[in-house]
């Protein structure tokens, strides 16, 4: 089990499940970028209680913009948004403490921020709390609590949590080992586009666990996974590529043709639907 919060590192969040490097809409007259670092604009954000803009302002400080970079400044604005109940900012504060960005690395503090966001209903935070319980970071190791939080996140459609549940069943960690159950959760996660789950499905087809061994199907899942790995999973993507090369060498031309057909079918099944555009926050409204 990999520590997702460590792998994310600088990949800070704009929304619970969105790509971190995509700016979230703020619904103000601020232009993302230079305008958001203009000191004359900052008091206006506080007056408007525009938590999304505060979060994005913090992102600009954390990632650096126009020669300016400061985790300390980022944390200040995330905490302003978090104080107003914005769970995305709470997640980012948790990441800062988990990675030691602008603060001393402190998993207990990361746990506190993610726990707060999780109780407010944020699925990404629920998965992170489960991750900390599973690995005993910032809190005593408790596999039952890890499973509980993973299941809560999965119920909200969090693909990473679905994958983590599958990993627990596959390993028999805190639950009886059950390959059928593991495969079911991997399929749910893969259906939402999660590359690690796709690779796990492929591996189960290679080894014939919960399914009949099928190298054609295995290679197809590996190849679809290859196109879905995000930049922060470069090491896993490289391992998956090695598996593709080794398995491809074992198949004949007819089998490789069938792989191509299965890749096309799996790609359709595992392409997540595009989320609907977010509605503007009304005056005084909080986003959780």
């Amino acid at each position: 089990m990999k520590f997702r919060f460590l792998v994310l590192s600088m990949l800070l969040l704009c929304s619970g499940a969105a790509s971190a490097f995509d700016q979230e809409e703020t619904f103000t007259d601020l232009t993302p970028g230079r305008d958001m670092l203009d000191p004359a604009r900052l008091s206006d954000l506080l007056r408007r209680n525009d938590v999304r803009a505060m979060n994005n302002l913090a992102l600009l400080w954390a990632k650096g913009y126009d020669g300016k970079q400061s985790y300390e400044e980022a944390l200040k604005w995330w905490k302003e948004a978090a104080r107003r109940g914005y769970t995305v900012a709470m997640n980012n504060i948790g990441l800062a403490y988990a990675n030691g960005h602008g603060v001393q690395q402190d998993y207990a503090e990361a746990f506190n921020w993610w726990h707060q966001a999780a109780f407010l209903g944020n699925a990404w935070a629920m998965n992170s709390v489960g991750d900390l319980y599973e690995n005993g970071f910032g809190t005593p190791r408790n596999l039952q609590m890890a499973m509980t939080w993973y299941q809560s996140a999965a119920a909200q459609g969090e693909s990473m949590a679905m994958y983590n549940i599958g990993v627990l069943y596959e390993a028999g960690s805190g639950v009886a080992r059950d390959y059928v159950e593991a495969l079911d959760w991997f399929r749910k996660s893969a259906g939402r586009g999660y590359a690690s789950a796709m690779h796990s499905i492929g591996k189960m087809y290679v080894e014939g666990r919960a399914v009949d061994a099928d190298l054609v199907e295995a290679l197809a899942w590996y190849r679809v996974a290859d196109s879905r790995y995000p930049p922060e999973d470069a090491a896993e993507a490289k391992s998956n590529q090695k598996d593709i090369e080794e398995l491809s060498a074992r198949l004949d031309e007819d089998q490789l043709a069938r792989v191509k057909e299965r890749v096309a079918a799996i790609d359709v099944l595992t392409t997540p639907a595009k989320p609907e555009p977010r509605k503007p926050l009304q005056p005084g409204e909080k986003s959780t």
Side-chain angles (χ1 to χ4, degrees):
M1 175 62 194
K2 53 191 174 186
F3 302 138
R4 296 297 304 175
F5 53 87
L6 292 177
V7 175
L8 283 168
S9 188
M10 261 294 292
L11 196 64
L12 304 172
L13 305 175
C14 281
S15 66
S19 170
F21 291 105
D22 295 332
Q23 283 251 338
E24 184 186 24
E25 292 182 89
T26 63
F27 305 105
T28 72
D29 60 2
L30 293 176
T31 300
R34 188 184 303 273
D35 285 356
M36 293 180 69
L37 295 184
D38 182 353
R41 302 275 191 165
L42 304 188
S43 60
D44 193 43
L45 296 183
L46 294 174
R47 181 179 61 80
R48 297 186 189 198
N49 283 318
D50 191 337
V51 291
R52 294 179 183 173
M54 292 176 197
N55 181 70
N56 285 351
L57 175 61
L59 283 168
L60 287 171
W61 278 114
K63 294 186 293 182
Y65 181 83
D66 197 26
K68 301 176 182 178
Q69 194 280 332
S70 171
Y71 288 123
E72 291 78 7
E73 192 71 19
L75 279 164
K76 181 178 77 174
W77 286 101
W78 279 325
K79 288 181 178 179
E80 284 289 351
R83 190 165 63 85
R84 291 162 170 79
Y86 195 42
T87 58
V88 176
M90 296 175 192
N91 286 340
N92 285 328
I93 297 169
L95 279 170
Y97 277 104
N99 291 290
H101 288 160
V103 291
Q104 184 175 350
Q105 189 177 57
D106 188 335
Y107 295 120
E109 192 68 17
F111 177 86
N112 290 337
W113 281 103
W114 286 335
H115 205 247
Q116 182 179 349
F119 267 109
L120 288 173
N122 187 284
W124 191 94
M126 293 175 186
N127 179 74
S128 295
V129 170
D131 199 358
L132 290 173
Y133 270 122
E134 180 183 351
N135 295 290
F137 276 39
T139 187
R141 190 168 190 250
N142 187 322
L143 293 174
Q144 286 69 39
M145 286 297 293
M147 178 65 86
T148 296
W149 281 108
Y150 287 154
Q151 288 174 334
S152 296
Q156 292 196 38
E158 174 54 60
S159 60
M160 196 184 302
M162 296 173 185
Y163 168 74
N164 287 336
I165 293 172
V167 170
L168 291 181
Y169 275 112
E170 183 180 37
S173 297
V175 292
R177 177 172 286 165
D178 188 330
Y179 293 136
V180 173
E181 192 73 12
L183 180 60
D184 183 54
W185 281 104
F186 289 150
R187 289 191 185 280
K188 290 177 182 177
S189 179
R192 290 181 170 269
Y194 196 58
S196 297
M198 297 175 192
H199 181 269
S200 292
I201 293 171
K203 187 176 180 181
M204 294 186 88
Y205 271 107
V206 169
E207 299 174 356
R209 290 183 289 123
V211 290
D212 293 333
D214 186 335
L215 299 187
V216 168
E217 190 73 4
L219 181 56
W221 279 102
Y222 286 163
R223 285 188 173 175
V224 177
D226 184 58
S227 65
R228 302 295 180 83
Y229 278 109
E232 67 272 17
D233 284 345
E236 186 176 326
K238 184 176 181 180
S239 178
N240 181 73
Q241 183 60 43
K242 182 179 179 181
D243 290 336
I244 289 174
E245 294 171 0
E246 292 179 351
L247 197 52
S248 295
R250 297 170 61 183
L251 303 183
D252 59 33
E253 291 185 5
D254 288 340
Q255 289 173 313
L256 291 175
R258 286 165 48 206
V259 169
K260 188 175 181 180
E261 293 176 358
R262 286 298 297 149
V263 166
I266 293 170
D267 188 61
V268 172
L269 292 174
T270 58
T271 300
K274 292 184 178 180
E276 295 182 3
R278 300 186 68 167
K279 296 180 179 179
L281 292 177
Q282 299 303 312
E285 183 181 358
K286 293 180 179 180
S287 175
T288 59

